[in-house]
Structure formats: C-alpha cells, structure tokens
PDB file of all heavy atoms in Angstrom:
ATOM      1  N   PRO A 966      81.620  98.323 137.476  1.00 41.00           N
ATOM      2  CA  PRO A 966      80.628  97.458 136.843  1.00 41.00           C
ATOM      3  C   PRO A 966      79.411  98.221 136.353  1.00 41.00           C
ATOM      4  O   PRO A 966      78.826  97.899 135.324  1.00 41.00           O
ATOM      5  CB  PRO A 966      80.267  96.482 137.969  1.00 41.00           C
ATOM      6  CG  PRO A 966      81.456  96.472 138.852  1.00 41.00           C
ATOM      7  CD  PRO A 966      82.022  97.856 138.793  1.00 41.00           C
ATOM      8  N   VAL A 967      79.003  99.261 137.095  1.00 40.00           N
ATOM      9  CA  VAL A 967      77.822 100.024 136.683  1.00 40.00           C
ATOM     10  C   VAL A 967      78.077 100.697 135.350  1.00 40.00           C
ATOM     11  O   VAL A 967      77.244 100.669 134.437  1.00 40.00           O
ATOM     12  CB  VAL A 967      77.469 101.079 137.749  1.00 40.00           C
ATOM     13  CG1 VAL A 967      76.328 101.952 137.243  1.00 40.00           C
ATOM     14  CG2 VAL A 967      77.079 100.398 139.051  1.00 40.00           C
ATOM     15  N   LYS A 968      79.274 101.327 135.202  1.00 39.00           N
ATOM     16  CA  LYS A 968      79.569 102.028 133.958  1.00 39.00           C
ATOM     17  C   LYS A 968      79.658 101.056 132.808  1.00 39.00           C
ATOM     18  O   LYS A 968      79.151 101.290 131.714  1.00 39.00           O
ATOM     19  CB  LYS A 968      80.876 102.787 134.120  1.00 39.00           C
ATOM     20  CG  LYS A 968      81.258 103.638 132.940  1.00 39.00           C
ATOM     21  CD  LYS A 968      80.266 104.753 132.736  1.00 39.00           C
ATOM     22  CE  LYS A 968      80.245 105.665 133.934  1.00 39.00           C
ATOM     23  NZ  LYS A 968      81.535 106.303 134.187  1.00 39.00           N
ATOM     24  N   ALA A 969      80.318  99.877 133.053  1.00 37.00           N
ATOM     25  CA  ALA A 969      80.483  98.906 131.984  1.00 37.00           C
ATOM     26  C   ALA A 969      79.142  98.395 131.514  1.00 37.00           C
ATOM     27  O   ALA A 969      78.898  98.231 130.329  1.00 37.00           O
ATOM     28  CB  ALA A 969      81.351  97.749 132.476  1.00 37.00           C
ATOM     29  N   LYS A 970      78.224  98.188 132.485  1.00 39.00           N
ATOM     30  CA  LYS A 970      76.901  97.704 132.122  1.00 39.00           C
ATOM     31  C   LYS A 970      76.174  98.707 131.266  1.00 39.00           C
ATOM     32  O   LYS A 970      75.504  98.380 130.296  1.00 39.00           O
ATOM     33  CB  LYS A 970      76.105  97.387 133.391  1.00 39.00           C
ATOM     34  CG  LYS A 970      74.762  96.752 133.109  1.00 39.00           C
ATOM     35  CD  LYS A 970      74.077  96.372 134.416  1.00 39.00           C
ATOM     36  CE  LYS A 970      72.738  95.740 134.152  1.00 39.00           C
ATOM     37  NZ  LYS A 970      72.037  95.375 135.395  1.00 39.00           N
ATOM     38  N   LYS A 971      76.286  99.960 131.634  1.00 39.00           N
ATOM     39  CA  LYS A 971      75.619 101.008 130.872  1.00 39.00           C
ATOM     40  C   LYS A 971      76.172 101.093 129.458  1.00 39.00           C
ATOM     41  O   LYS A 971      75.444 101.250 128.487  1.00 39.00           O
ATOM     42  CB  LYS A 971      75.774 102.354 131.580  1.00 39.00           C
ATOM     43  CG  LYS A 971      74.980 102.483 132.879  1.00 39.00           C
ATOM     44  CD  LYS A 971      73.500 102.595 132.584  1.00 39.00           C
ATOM     45  CE  LYS A 971      72.716 102.840 133.858  1.00 39.00           C
ATOM     46  NZ  LYS A 971      71.280 102.973 133.596  1.00 39.00           N
ATOM     47  N   GLN A 972      77.477 100.961 129.345  1.00 40.00           N
ATOM     48  CA  GLN A 972      78.083 101.120 128.027  1.00 40.00           C
ATOM     49  C   GLN A 972      77.767  99.939 127.119  1.00 40.00           C
ATOM     50  O   GLN A 972      77.627 100.095 125.920  1.00 40.00           O
ATOM     51  CB  GLN A 972      79.595 101.267 128.184  1.00 40.00           C
ATOM     52  CG  GLN A 972      79.993 102.598 128.824  1.00 40.00           C
ATOM     53  CD  GLN A 972      81.471 102.716 129.030  1.00 40.00           C
ATOM     54  OE1 GLN A 972      82.198 101.732 128.910  1.00 40.00           O
ATOM     55  NE2 GLN A 972      81.929 103.911 129.341  1.00 40.00           N
ATOM     56  N   LYS A 973      77.599  98.755 127.700  1.00 38.00           N
ATOM     57  CA  LYS A 973      77.261  97.604 126.877  1.00 38.00           C
ATOM     58  C   LYS A 973      75.881  97.740 126.261  1.00 38.00           C
ATOM     59  O   LYS A 973      75.604  97.207 125.209  1.00 38.00           O
ATOM     60  CB  LYS A 973      77.331  96.329 127.722  1.00 38.00           C
ATOM     61  CG  LYS A 973      78.757  95.884 128.034  1.00 38.00           C
ATOM     62  CD  LYS A 973      78.748  94.639 128.899  1.00 38.00           C
ATOM     63  CE  LYS A 973      80.159  94.211 129.245  1.00 38.00           C
ATOM     64  NZ  LYS A 973      80.176  93.012 130.106  1.00 38.00           N
ATOM     65  N   ARG A 974      74.995  98.420 126.931  1.00 41.00           N
ATOM     66  CA  ARG A 974      73.624  98.550 126.457  1.00 41.00           C
ATOM     67  C   ARG A 974      73.487  99.652 125.429  1.00 41.00           C
ATOM     68  O   ARG A 974      72.432  99.846 124.867  1.00 41.00           O
ATOM     69  CB  ARG A 974      72.689  98.815 127.649  1.00 41.00           C
ATOM     70  CG  ARG A 974      72.626  97.621 128.618  1.00 41.00           C
ATOM     71  CD  ARG A 974      71.796  97.949 129.827  1.00 41.00           C
ATOM     72  NE  ARG A 974      70.447  98.319 129.431  1.00 41.00           N
ATOM     73  CZ  ARG A 974      69.534  98.777 130.300  1.00 41.00           C
ATOM     74  NH1 ARG A 974      69.851  98.930 131.562  1.00 41.00           N
ATOM     75  NH2 ARG A 974      68.318  99.081 129.887  1.00 41.00           N
ATOM     76  N   VAL A 975      74.520 100.450 125.202  1.00 41.00           N
ATOM     77  CA  VAL A 975      74.437 101.568 124.266  1.00 41.00           C
ATOM     78  C   VAL A 975      75.461 101.357 123.167  1.00 41.00           C
ATOM     79  O   VAL A 975      76.661 101.250 123.437  1.00 41.00           O
ATOM     80  CB  VAL A 975      74.710 102.908 124.979  1.00 41.00           C
ATOM     81  CG1 VAL A 975      74.650 104.033 123.966  1.00 41.00           C
ATOM     82  CG2 VAL A 975      73.693 103.118 126.077  1.00 41.00           C
ATOM     83  N   SER A 976      75.008 101.285 121.978  1.00 41.00           N
ATOM     84  CA  SER A 976      75.933 101.155 120.861  1.00 41.00           C
ATOM     85  C   SER A 976      75.897 102.436 120.049  1.00 41.00           C
ATOM     86  O   SER A 976      74.865 103.091 119.955  1.00 41.00           O
ATOM     87  CB  SER A 976      75.533  99.964 119.979  1.00 41.00           C
ATOM     88  OG  SER A 976      74.238 100.149 119.453  1.00 41.00           O
ATOM     89  N   GLY A 977      76.998 102.769 119.454  1.00 45.00           N
ATOM     90  CA  GLY A 977      77.016 103.975 118.645  1.00 45.00           C
ATOM     91  C   GLY A 977      78.317 104.698 118.799  1.00 45.00           C
ATOM     92  O   GLY A 977      79.357 104.125 119.119  1.00 45.00           O
ATOM     93  N   SER A 978      78.265 105.986 118.640  1.00 43.00           N
ATOM     94  CA  SER A 978      79.461 106.802 118.623  1.00 43.00           C
ATOM     95  C   SER A 978      80.009 107.022 120.020  1.00 43.00           C
ATOM     96  O   SER A 978      79.311 106.850 121.005  1.00 43.00           O
ATOM     97  CB  SER A 978      79.139 108.165 117.995  1.00 43.00           C
ATOM     98  OG  SER A 978      78.277 108.871 118.847  1.00 43.00           O
ATOM     99  N   PRO A 979      81.245 107.443 120.165  1.00 43.00           N
ATOM    100  CA  PRO A 979      81.816 107.792 121.486  1.00 43.00           C
ATOM    101  C   PRO A 979      81.026 108.884 122.172  1.00 43.00           C
ATOM    102  O   PRO A 979      80.957 108.938 123.386  1.00 43.00           O
ATOM    103  CB  PRO A 979      83.233 108.255 121.142  1.00 43.00           C
ATOM    104  CG  PRO A 979      83.545 107.588 119.837  1.00 43.00           C
ATOM    105  CD  PRO A 979      82.252 107.512 119.094  1.00 43.00           C
ATOM    106  N   ASP A 980      80.396 109.786 121.398  1.00 46.00           N
ATOM    107  CA  ASP A 980      79.588 110.842 122.013  1.00 46.00           C
ATOM    108  C   ASP A 980      78.418 110.251 122.772  1.00 46.00           C
ATOM    109  O   ASP A 980      78.017 110.737 123.832  1.00 46.00           O
ATOM    110  CB  ASP A 980      79.069 111.812 120.942  1.00 46.00           C
ATOM    111  CG  ASP A 980      80.199 112.642 120.343  1.00 46.00           C
ATOM    112  OD1 ASP A 980      81.250 112.736 121.016  1.00 46.00           O
ATOM    113  OD2 ASP A 980      80.010 113.165 119.236  1.00 46.00           O
ATOM    114  N   GLN A 981      77.804 109.212 122.229  1.00 43.00           N
ATOM    115  CA  GLN A 981      76.678 108.581 122.910  1.00 43.00           C
ATOM    116  C   GLN A 981      77.127 107.942 124.215  1.00 43.00           C
ATOM    117  O   GLN A 981      76.450 108.016 125.228  1.00 43.00           O
ATOM    118  CB  GLN A 981      76.047 107.522 121.991  1.00 43.00           C
ATOM    119  CG  GLN A 981      75.282 108.121 120.812  1.00 43.00           C
ATOM    120  CD  GLN A 981      74.766 107.039 119.885  1.00 43.00           C
ATOM    121  OE1 GLN A 981      75.521 106.156 119.484  1.00 43.00           O
ATOM    122  NE2 GLN A 981      73.512 107.117 119.556  1.00 43.00           N
ATOM    123  N   GLU A 982      78.298 107.269 124.172  1.00 42.00           N
ATOM    124  CA  GLU A 982      78.806 106.672 125.388  1.00 42.00           C
ATOM    125  C   GLU A 982      79.138 107.740 126.422  1.00 42.00           C
ATOM    126  O   GLU A 982      78.910 107.572 127.613  1.00 42.00           O
ATOM    127  CB  GLU A 982      80.048 105.843 125.079  1.00 42.00           C
ATOM    128  CG  GLU A 982      79.746 104.614 124.232  1.00 42.00           C
ATOM    129  CD  GLU A 982      80.960 103.716 124.076  1.00 42.00           C
ATOM    130  OE1 GLU A 982      82.010 104.072 124.660  1.00 42.00           O
ATOM    131  OE2 GLU A 982      80.851 102.693 123.392  1.00 42.00           O
ATOM    132  N   ALA A 983      79.648 108.862 126.000  1.00 40.00           N
ATOM    133  CA  ALA A 983      79.967 109.954 126.931  1.00 40.00           C
ATOM    134  C   ALA A 983      78.711 110.465 127.600  1.00 40.00           C
ATOM    135  O   ALA A 983      78.716 110.821 128.777  1.00 40.00           O
ATOM    136  CB  ALA A 983      80.673 111.082 126.180  1.00 40.00           C
ATOM    137  N   SER A 984      77.597 110.517 126.860  1.00 39.00           N
ATOM    138  CA  SER A 984      76.354 111.001 127.454  1.00 39.00           C
ATOM    139  C   SER A 984      75.864 110.061 128.531  1.00 39.00           C
ATOM    140  O   SER A 984      75.298 110.476 129.534  1.00 39.00           O
ATOM    141  CB  SER A 984      75.284 111.173 126.371  1.00 39.00           C
ATOM    142  OG  SER A 984      74.918 109.917 125.824  1.00 39.00           O
ATOM    143  N   VAL A 985      76.082 108.760 128.354  1.00 35.00           N
ATOM    144  CA  VAL A 985      75.709 107.795 129.380  1.00 35.00           C
ATOM    145  C   VAL A 985      76.541 108.009 130.627  1.00 35.00           C
ATOM    146  O   VAL A 985      76.040 107.998 131.751  1.00 35.00           O
ATOM    147  CB  VAL A 985      75.886 106.350 128.853  1.00 35.00           C
ATOM    148  CG1 VAL A 985      75.640 105.348 129.966  1.00 35.00           C
ATOM    149  CG2 VAL A 985      74.937 106.108 127.688  1.00 35.00           C
ATOM    150  N   GLU A 986      77.843 108.241 130.459  1.00 39.00           N
ATOM    151  CA  GLU A 986      78.711 108.481 131.609  1.00 39.00           C
ATOM    152  C   GLU A 986      78.258 109.703 132.382  1.00 39.00           C
ATOM    153  O   GLU A 986      78.294 109.742 133.603  1.00 39.00           O
ATOM    154  CB  GLU A 986      80.150 108.647 131.154  1.00 39.00           C
ATOM    155  CG  GLU A 986      80.752 107.361 130.564  1.00 39.00           C
ATOM    156  CD  GLU A 986      82.181 107.571 130.131  1.00 39.00           C
ATOM    157  OE1 GLU A 986      82.706 108.682 130.393  1.00 39.00           O
ATOM    158  OE2 GLU A 986      82.762 106.653 129.548  1.00 39.00           O
ATOM    159  N   LEU A 987      77.803 110.726 131.700  1.00 35.00           N
ATOM    160  CA  LEU A 987      77.358 111.949 132.355  1.00 35.00           C
ATOM    161  C   LEU A 987      76.137 111.672 133.212  1.00 35.00           C
ATOM    162  O   LEU A 987      76.025 112.144 134.342  1.00 35.00           O
ATOM    163  CB  LEU A 987      77.027 113.016 131.302  1.00 35.00           C
ATOM    164  CG  LEU A 987      76.496 114.349 131.838  1.00 35.00           C
ATOM    165  CD1 LEU A 987      77.536 114.981 132.771  1.00 35.00           C
ATOM    166  CD2 LEU A 987      76.151 115.293 130.691  1.00 35.00           C
ATOM    167  N   VAL A 988      75.200 110.871 132.729  1.00 36.00           N
ATOM    168  CA  VAL A 988      73.995 110.552 133.492  1.00 36.00           C
ATOM    169  C   VAL A 988      74.345 109.779 134.750  1.00 36.00           C
ATOM    170  O   VAL A 988      73.828 110.025 135.832  1.00 36.00           O
ATOM    171  CB  VAL A 988      73.014 109.736 132.618  1.00 36.00           C
ATOM    172  CG1 VAL A 988      71.855 109.233 133.465  1.00 36.00           C
ATOM    173  CG2 VAL A 988      72.499 110.602 131.476  1.00 36.00           C
ATOM    174  N   VAL A 989      75.267 108.824 134.627  1.00 37.00           N
ATOM    175  CA  VAL A 989      75.650 108.017 135.777  1.00 37.00           C
ATOM    176  C   VAL A 989      76.265 108.874 136.863  1.00 37.00           C
ATOM    177  O   VAL A 989      76.112 108.628 138.044  1.00 37.00           O
ATOM    178  CB  VAL A 989      76.638 106.912 135.340  1.00 37.00           C
ATOM    179  CG1 VAL A 989      77.176 106.165 136.544  1.00 37.00           C
ATOM    180  CG2 VAL A 989      75.944 105.957 134.374  1.00 37.00           C
ATOM    181  N   GLY A 990      76.960 109.946 136.493  1.00 40.00           N
ATOM    182  CA  GLY A 990      77.668 110.761 137.466  1.00 40.00           C
ATOM    183  C   GLY A 990      76.859 111.881 138.071  1.00 40.00           C
ATOM    184  O   GLY A 990      77.383 112.670 138.825  1.00 40.00           O
ATOM    185  N   LEU A 991      75.570 112.009 137.763  1.00 41.00           N
ATOM    186  CA  LEU A 991      74.770 113.112 138.276  1.00 41.00           C
ATOM    187  C   LEU A 991      74.584 113.013 139.778  1.00 41.00           C
ATOM    188  O   LEU A 991      74.550 111.925 140.347  1.00 41.00           O
ATOM    189  CB  LEU A 991      73.391 113.116 137.602  1.00 41.00           C
ATOM    190  CG  LEU A 991      73.345 113.587 136.141  1.00 41.00           C
ATOM    191  CD1 LEU A 991      71.929 113.445 135.614  1.00 41.00           C
ATOM    192  CD2 LEU A 991      73.816 115.024 136.024  1.00 41.00           C
ATOM    193  N   GLU A 992      74.421 114.162 140.440  1.00 44.00           N
ATOM    194  CA  GLU A 992      74.113 114.206 141.853  1.00 44.00           C
ATOM    195  C   GLU A 992      72.735 113.598 142.098  1.00 44.00           C
ATOM    196  O   GLU A 992      71.848 113.714 141.268  1.00 44.00           O
ATOM    197  CB  GLU A 992      74.105 115.665 142.349  1.00 44.00           C
ATOM    198  CG  GLU A 992      75.464 116.273 142.495  1.00 44.00           C
ATOM    199  CD  GLU A 992      76.192 115.735 143.704  1.00 44.00           C
ATOM    200  OE1 GLU A 992      75.569 115.597 144.764  1.00 44.00           O
ATOM    201  OE2 GLU A 992      77.384 115.435 143.572  1.00 44.00           O
ATOM    202  N   PRO A 993      72.506 112.928 143.259  1.00 49.00           N
ATOM    203  CA  PRO A 993      71.202 112.338 143.534  1.00 49.00           C
ATOM    204  C   PRO A 993      70.144 113.410 143.725  1.00 49.00           C
ATOM    205  O   PRO A 993      70.422 114.528 144.138  1.00 49.00           O
ATOM    206  CB  PRO A 993      71.453 111.552 144.826  1.00 49.00           C
ATOM    207  CG  PRO A 993      72.607 112.237 145.472  1.00 49.00           C
ATOM    208  CD  PRO A 993      73.475 112.710 144.336  1.00 49.00           C
ATOM    209  N   SER A 994      68.922 113.072 143.441  1.00 56.00           N
ATOM    210  CA  SER A 994      67.809 113.990 143.622  1.00 56.00           C
ATOM    211  C   SER A 994      67.479 114.132 145.098  1.00 56.00           C
ATOM    212  O   SER A 994      68.027 113.429 145.944  1.00 56.00           O
ATOM    213  CB  SER A 994      66.576 113.466 142.878  1.00 56.00           C
ATOM    214  OG  SER A 994      66.172 112.241 143.452  1.00 56.00           O
ATOM    215  N   ARG A 995      66.538 115.038 145.408  1.00 55.00           N
ATOM    216  CA  ARG A 995      66.126 115.221 146.804  1.00 55.00           C
ATOM    217  C   ARG A 995      65.542 113.940 147.378  1.00 55.00           C
ATOM    218  O   ARG A 995      65.797 113.591 148.523  1.00 55.00           O
ATOM    219  CB  ARG A 995      65.100 116.358 146.881  1.00 55.00           C
ATOM    220  CG  ARG A 995      64.534 116.544 148.294  1.00 55.00           C
ATOM    221  CD  ARG A 995      63.645 117.767 148.361  1.00 55.00           C
ATOM    222  NE  ARG A 995      62.979 117.831 149.645  1.00 55.00           N
ATOM    223  CZ  ARG A 995      63.571 118.233 150.763  1.00 55.00           C
ATOM    224  NH1 ARG A 995      64.832 118.597 150.755  1.00 55.00           N
ATOM    225  NH2 ARG A 995      62.901 118.293 151.892  1.00 55.00           N
ATOM    226  N   SER A 996      64.764 113.203 146.569  1.00 65.00           N
ATOM    227  CA  SER A 996      64.187 111.952 147.055  1.00 65.00           C
ATOM    228  C   SER A 996      65.295 110.955 147.378  1.00 65.00           C
ATOM    229  O   SER A 996      65.195 110.181 148.334  1.00 65.00           O
ATOM    230  CB  SER A 996      63.239 111.367 146.015  1.00 65.00           C
ATOM    231  OG  SER A 996      63.929 111.080 144.823  1.00 65.00           O
TER     232      SER A 996
END
C-alpha cells in the first residue's frame, strides 16, 4: 500500500516512478 500510494501521487515517466521506489527503500536514518 505504501508504494501504491506513492506512485499515485506521482505522474510522469517510468523513470520518475522508479525514483520514488528508490526513496521508499532507503535505509532509516540514525534518528
């Protein structure tokens, strides 16, 4: 659901959607 929500909010090319997926998969920060 998190990925689907992110993708719905971004319209454009497949490259843009791929960049959103990359952000979602990042390791958590120290905080």
Side-chain angles (χ1 to χ4, degrees):
V967 174
K968 184 65 62 61
K970 186 176 180 181
K971 290 288 185 179
Q972 290 178 348
K973 286 179 182 179
R974 295 175 59 186
V975 179
S976 61
S978 68
D980 291 340
Q981 289 176 310
E982 293 187 1
S984 66
V985 174
E986 293 180 5
L987 178 60
V988 172
V989 173
L991 286 177
E992 285 286 317
S994 64
R995 176 174 172 77
S996 61

